[in-house]
Amino acid sequence: MGKILAIGALLLMTAAVACSKKSNNAGPSLNSTDQQFVTSAGYNNVDEINGGYLASTNATDSNVRVLGLQMVSDYGNAQSALILLADSLGFTVLSSPDATHAAELNTLQALSGIAFDTTYLRYQINDDQAAITLYEAEQSNGQNAALKSYIAKYLPVIQAHLVAADSLELRKN
């Protein structure tokens, strides 16, 4: 598990370095609604990457491990795209987990077996539902066209994750 956390830390450090580089592109700025979306989406991406790493190594069910790997891949791509987009708009994406998800990650690290699998899936479903709400709200209320394009690309991915996690949870019950 130490290797997984080290890889996650390396990914986060890479993202932090990428975040610290400001673009000279003077594109349109982000209003407060768009800024809040970028911040929340960045937290969500980091949380999903960290949880996915844990699931890829700690899950008992091979399908949950595969889902974890998928989360790392998909949210890694989403985070990279968000960082590039935000940088082009002069905004920094945070690369650390929020307090709630840091606590969930600590809970997951203490679990094993079926308890890990069911808790991870429950967290995954809750996070996907919250992310879908976040993305749909930004799609409706946000002002930035580039963010709306980002949402159009990644919202269907999150919706597919919800279906996958939900079907795995149903198998566990």
Side-chain angles (χ1 to χ4, degrees), residues 26-85:
S29 63
L30 297 176
N31 66 24
S32 62
T33 300
D34 294 336
Q35 288 178 11
Q36 184 58 47
F37 170 78
V38 171
T39 298
S40 296
Y43 280 141
N44 182 67
N45 292 340
V46 168
D47 298 334
E48 296 289 357
I49 292 166
N50 289 337
Y53 273 122
L54 280 178
S56 71
T57 58
N58 293 4
T60 302
D61 186 309
S62 63
N63 292 314
V64 176
R65 285 193 305 271
V66 168
L67 179 65
L69 287 172
Q70 189 67 47
M71 297 303 101
V72 172
S73 175
D74 289 349
Y75 284 101
N77 291 336
Q79 185 73 344
S80 294
L82 187 63
I83 288 168
L84 289 173
L85 173 59

Side-chain angles (χ1 to χ4, degrees), residues 10-23:
L10 180 60
L11 177 65
L12 291 176
M13 287 174 28
T14 302
V17 169
C19 287
S20 68
K21 296 179 182 176
K22 290 291 182 191
S23 170

